[in-house]
Amino acid sequence: MGEVRLVTEGTNRHTPRSRRSAAFAVWYLRVVTFINFLSAVWVSLGQDVRRHNTENYFTPYLLTAGFASGVFTLFLAITMRRRKRAAWILNSVLSGLFLLLFALVMLLPEVRQYWQNWVSLALTAAFVVSLLLGRREFYAKGDRSNPRLAAVVAVGGLLVTSLVATLLVTVTNTAHDDYRSTFLDRWRYGVMRLVSLAADDSRFPGIDTPGWVDVTINVLSTLLLLAVLYAAFRSRRTVDPITEEDEAKLRDLLDKFGERDSLGYFALRREKSAVWSPTGKAAVTYRVVGGVSLASGDPIGDPEAWPGAIEPWLTEAREHGWIPAVMGASEEGGTIYARHGLDALELGDEAIVDTEEWGSVGHPPGKRSMLDGRAMRTVRQAYNRVKRAGYEVRIRRHEEIPDDEMAELLRKADDWRDGATERGFSMALGRLGDPADGRCVMLECTDGRGELRAVLSFAPWGPNGLSLDLMRRDRDSENGLMEFMVIELLQRAKEIKITQVSLNFAMFRSVFERGSKLGAGPVLRLWRSLLGFFSRWWQIESLYRANAKYRPIWEPRFMLFEKSADLLRIGVAAARAEGFLEAPGLPKWMHRKHLETKW
């Protein structure tokens, strides 16, 4: 039995006073951020703040009336909201030094006479006290490599940006004085502009640059600051993936409880990690993407032990400053997650087909197949057209396929893949032909000449079910080929002892269904029209239509989250996990792509 990984956190560490103090510290930084940005665009206000800060009285902690300082305080506010321990340490050190300096300055009579100084001192002291009282709330750990990475980014970034600044100064310098600036002079000028918004130009008589050059250098300094802050405060990026022992235990749980969730087998994706209940009877599988701890489907194992796995998963997420989220939970699983403080949002419905209602090939006289009837006329015609063209379907378990044939299937599947990215996270296995997945089912479709034209692969869903994992076909094959293969599977399900098949997930299905009915309200119709527009790129409505033709049972699936403010970040993390978006910074990450889904 594999090691049961648990994360413990004292339940008595938080008090109402510590929570209120932490909230005050976060809001203090937010207000300072707002005033800094406002001062940056409101010239007169910014001038007043800077004048008072240097001549009459000092302003509260980090209120310097500038865009760069606004970015700095905004970053601190965000990291403090995420309970980063490193952010608390930095704020405590800086604010403590500021408070000590202010206290010493207040000993001077000419400083004490301004009432504004007392306000600044009181606000800074209140912030320091709130940090001390709320220290227990800032527990999120960063990556151990962050300090070293931040130092490398700072040194390397300063070198690169200073050279860029020197180049800009060199090509735009219009000074015609007797003194000709040297490379070292121009480099020093660029560095001073990087570290200061207002360098003393009198120190550089041989340099005269346009105003936009100085602004560009200041922007470079802000970007460098952001890069250093990100490197210093980033969350732990990865955790240990499931081990062989973890996978063996998960397979044992799937053998016992796998029929409860059609997405259960996809928990075996090997880039996922697992957190176990104390008894080892349940586990939550997840992956960390962009600071989001993204779980998929329901917990694996005994439902009575689910809370024991959910609690340590949430604790681990909070300990590392990750945002916890669940994609594709069932109503039962979503209810359990909701009891642990997560909110639910219905994403859509899963299409589940009962194979008994489809009859079988050569069904007894007098017994009608689901394919019969006027309502199925279009589907029946498509099925018969493909069948008359000579296409045939072979159904086998993966373990029944010889190695050389499987290698050829893998080669064909790779050739037919749309793009280089292997998509899937919550509803796809992400591998094909692995020896450990012998119970998966492969459908191979050949044309009248015996050439392979399409493959479908299904993952096991308990002892008597299948869940669609992968679909690939030759783009030059007959239209309706996928429908033909699915119907063949449904009609021949008894050959492999299957009673239910999960075909696909239809996002926002209820919107399309209710929005097209008589009496639908204007908001619902508008929402349906908006989704229809985006379906031009992302197949939202077409997926619903493609599944509805099989008259499935629609089972709702939910996304679980803690705070509505995190939904955008969760959506981006889910898109990255599913393969719809590449990691930021890669050359092609913003290119529009047609989404390859399960269907």
Side-chain angles (χ1 to χ4, degrees):
M1 179 174 292
E3 179 184 358
V4 178
R5 181 159 55 89
L6 294 175
V7 181
T8 59
E9 181 180 1
T11 57
N12 59 348
R13 66 184 300 175
H14 307 291
T15 64
R17 187 180 67 176
S18 67
R19 286 192 289 268
R20 287 194 297 267
S21 299
F24 174 84
V26 173
W27 275 105
Y28 180 92
L29 289 173
R30 289 174 175 172
V31 172
V32 170
T33 299
F34 173 76
I35 298 176
N36 277 328
F37 283 139
L38 183 63
S39 300
V41 297
W42 189 349
V43 178
S44 60
L45 176 62
Q47 291 175 345
D48 289 340
V49 172
R50 283 188 287 270
R51 186 183 69 252
H52 294 316
N53 195 34
T54 56
E55 298 179 6
N56 299 331
Y57 64 94
F58 52 85
T59 50
Y61 175 66
L62 292 182
L63 181 57
T64 60
F67 181 78
S69 58
V71 171
F72 183 48
T73 51
L74 175 62
F75 203 99
L76 289 179
I78 293 174
T79 52
M80 291 281 284
R81 175 184 172 273
R82 294 175 184 168
R83 300 298 187 253
K84 298 292 185 70
R85 188 70 176 177
W88 179 87
I89 294 174
L90 178 60
N91 273 292
S92 298
V93 172
L94 290 180
S95 62
L97 293 176
F98 270 87
L99 182 61
L100 179 61
L101 175 63
F102 293 170
L104 294 176
V105 172
M106 289 296 290
L107 297 176
L108 302 176
E110 60 272 20
V111 176
R112 291 200 303 266
Q113 62 179 324
Y114 296 106
W115 63 268
Q116 296 94 336
N117 293 352
W118 293 101
V119 173
S120 296
L121 179 64
L123 289 175
T124 303
F127 181 71
V128 173
V129 171
S130 67
L131 288 174
L132 295 177
L133 295 179
R135 64 188 182 280
R136 295 179 177 179
E137 301 295 324
F138 302 97
Y139 45 77
K141 301 175 182 178
D143 197 289
R144 292 182 178 179
S145 63
N146 284 357
R148 182 173 62 254
L149 178 63
V152 171
V153 172
V155 174
L158 184 59
L159 177 61
V160 172
T161 53
S162 66
L163 292 177
V164 173
T166 303
L167 177 63
L168 287 174
V169 173
T170 300
V171 299
T172 61
N173 187 17
T174 58
H176 299 288
D177 296 341
D178 295 335
Y179 175 78
R180 295 182 60 85
S181 62
T182 64
F183 174 82
L184 184 59
D185 292 331
R186 296 188 293 272
W187 180 79
R188 289 174 52 218
Y189 180 88
V191 171
M192 290 301 298
R193 283 289 178 182
L194 284 171
V195 300
S196 174
L197 289 176
D200 185 4
D201 293 348
S202 63
R203 298 170 54 189
F204 306 95
I207 297 177
D208 185 12
T209 58
W212 66 266
V213 173
D214 296 336
V215 173
T216 302
I217 297 175
N218 293 151
V219 171
L220 289 176
S221 69
T222 302
L223 295 177
L224 176 59
L225 174 63
L226 286 175
V228 173
L229 290 175
Y230 174 77
F233 294 115
R234 65 175 186 157
S235 302
R236 185 182 177 189
R237 301 181 65 83
T238 58
V239 291
D240 296 331
I242 58 174
T243 63
E244 293 183 3
E245 294 182 3
D246 287 330
E247 184 173 337
K249 290 174 58 181
L250 289 172
R251 290 184 182 274
D252 289 340
L253 293 179
L254 289 172
D255 289 340
K256 298 177 182 178
F257 305 99
E259 62 184 347
R260 304 188 66 92
D261 185 11
S262 63
L263 306 184
Y265 197 84
F266 303 127
L268 299 176
R269 287 179 65 99
R270 288 169 184 152
E271 83 272 27
K272 293 183 178 180
S273 303
V275 172
W276 295 88
S277 66
T279 61
K281 294 182 178 180
V284 171
T285 59
Y286 68 99
R287 178 184 169 192
V288 179
V289 183
V292 177
S293 180
L294 198 62
S296 60
D298 295 342
I300 306 299
D302 188 349
E304 294 185 359
W306 285 0
I310 294 173
E311 282 289 351
W313 169 65
L314 290 174
T315 299
E316 182 182 57
R318 289 162 184 155
E319 181 174 302
H320 293 288
W322 299 327
I323 297 173
V326 185
M327 299 297 296
S330 69
E331 189 168 4
E332 180 183 15
T335 300
I336 304 300
Y337 277 114
R339 292 175 184 170
H340 291 77
L342 301 184
D343 288 332
L345 176 66
E346 185 174 347
L347 289 178
D349 297 85
E350 179 186 13
I352 298 176
V353 180
D354 185 351
T355 61
E356 292 293 334
E357 297 184 1
W358 279 82
S360 61
V361 175
H363 52 273
K367 181 180 179 181
R368 293 173 59 86
S369 168
M370 180 69 79
L371 196 58
D372 299 328
R374 190 170 184 177
M376 299 296 292
R377 180 180 178 182
T378 303
V379 178
R380 183 172 63 252
Q381 289 177 343
Y383 172 82
N384 291 332
R385 184 184 69 254
V386 175
K387 191 170 185 178
R388 286 194 301 269
Y391 285 84
E392 295 182 352
V393 175
R394 186 178 187 181
I395 303 176
R396 291 185 289 178
R397 297 279 181 180
H398 285 201
E399 60 191 7
E400 300 171 356
I401 303 176
D403 292 342
D404 57 339
E405 294 185 27
M406 180 62 77
E408 178 63 17
L409 291 175
L410 293 176
R411 187 185 68 80
K412 288 285 190 179
D414 286 339
D415 291 342
W416 295 333
R417 184 169 62 194
D418 184 12
T421 302
E422 185 72 63
R423 293 190 169 93
F425 168 72
S426 58
M427 301 180 184
L429 194 56
R431 59 179 185 261
L432 185 65
D434 192 290
D437 302 321
R439 296 303 296 166
C440 291
V441 172
M442 181 77 76
L443 273 68
E444 308 156 54
C445 187
T446 56
D447 59 16
R449 296 175 296 179
E451 294 184 6
L452 185 68
R453 305 305 295 270
V455 295
L456 291 179
S457 183
F458 290 80
W461 173 15
N464 301 309
L466 294 178
S467 185
L468 182 58
D469 171 33
L470 176 140
M471 177 276 291
R472 300 279 166 80
R473 72 177 182 91
D474 188 341
R475 299 299 178 184
D476 298 327
S477 60
E478 189 80 18
N479 290 332
L481 189 58
M482 292 298 103
E483 289 86 346
F484 173 74
M485 297 178 69
V486 171
I487 292 173
E488 281 286 300
L489 172 65
L490 298 177
Q491 291 189 334
R492 296 163 56 185
K494 289 185 179 179
E495 296 181 14
I496 50 177
K497 300 178 181 180
I498 295 301
T499 60
Q500 56 185 354
V501 177
S502 170
L503 288 180
N504 206 339
F505 172 75
M507 184 172 287
F508 304 120
R509 178 199 67 87
S510 59
V511 176
F512 292 110
E513 186 171 284
R514 296 199 308 266
S516 62
K517 291 183 178 180
L518 182 66
V523 176
L524 186 59
R525 290 199 301 269
L526 177 62
W527 181 221
R528 182 179 182 275
S529 299
L530 185 63
L531 291 177
F533 172 77
F534 285 110
S535 292
R536 300 178 183 179
W537 291 274
W538 295 327
Q539 307 177 23
I540 301 174
E541 185 172 9
S542 60
L543 284 174
Y544 160 60
R545 302 297 179 192
N547 287 276
K549 66 180 66 174
Y550 302 107
R551 305 295 178 87
I553 300 170
W554 295 105
E555 294 289 342
R557 289 282 175 172
F558 300 87
M559 177 176 70
L560 284 301
F561 58 94
E562 268 192 325
K563 299 175 182 178
S564 300
D566 296 327
L567 285 176
L568 177 60
R569 193 174 177 196
I570 293 171
V572 172
R576 288 180 55 189
E578 298 287 356
F580 298 153
L581 288 178
E582 297 181 15
L586 296 180
K588 299 181 180 179
W589 82 278
M590 294 183 66
H591 290 186
R592 189 182 76 180
K593 294 183 178 179
H594 295 284
L595 303 186
E596 175 185 340
T597 61
K598 284 176 62 180
W599 180 232

